[in-house]
């Protein structure tokens, strides 16, 4: 599935603005885990060792939106909602 032109334009504009501002490091992708629990038992991952009450914690939608705002990355709610 090809990337829509509007999305490519948005990303290119964001990157260009960062380059013009001479920023060497800037956020490009936000990987947000609103749920702390995991059904995997990966070797080397300490998440499975947390107590049950911590593994059941969740971020509220408001906390997720706040994290997006703090990060400063581009966000496309229509693409996120379609997944």
């Amino acid at each position: 599935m090809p990337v829509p032109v509007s999305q490519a334009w948005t990303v290119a504009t964001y990157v260009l603005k960062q380059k013009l501002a001479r920023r060497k490091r800037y956020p490009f992708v936000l990987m947000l885990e609103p749920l702390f629990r995991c059904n995997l038992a990966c070797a080397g991952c300490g998440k499975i060792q947390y107590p049950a009450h911590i593994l059941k914690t969740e971020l509220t939608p408001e906390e997720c939106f706040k994290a997006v705002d703090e990060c400063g990355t581009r966000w496309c709610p229509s693409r996120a909602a379609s997944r």
Side-chain angles (χ1 to χ4, degrees), residues 24-47:
K24 290 186 179 184
R25 294 176 168 254
Y26 50 89
F28 193 69
V29 175
L30 170 66
M31 295 182 68
L32 186 64
E33 294 185 30
L35 305 175
F36 199 72
R37 61 185 160 264
C38 179
N39 63 351
L40 303 175
C42 302
C45 178
K47 192 180 265 192

Side-chain angles (χ1 to χ4, degrees), residues 34-37 52-59:
L35 305 175
F36 199 72
R37 61 185 160 264
H53 72 279
I54 292 178
L55 291 173
K56 291 180 183 178
T57 59
E58 299 178 359
L59 292 176

Side-chain angles (χ1 to χ4, degrees), residues 12-27 72:
T13 304
Y14 174 72
V15 171
L16 184 60
K17 286 180 184 177
Q18 301 304 317
K19 297 287 184 184
L20 290 173
R22 298 188 185 269
R23 292 190 182 105
K24 290 186 179 184
R25 294 176 168 254
Y26 50 89

Side-chain angles (χ1 to χ4, degrees), residues 54-72:
I54 292 178
L55 291 173
K56 291 180 183 178
T57 59
E58 299 178 359
L59 292 176
T60 64
E62 291 77 22
E63 291 172 319
C64 293
F65 297 137
K66 184 180 176 187
V68 171
D69 292 338
E70 287 177 8
C71 181

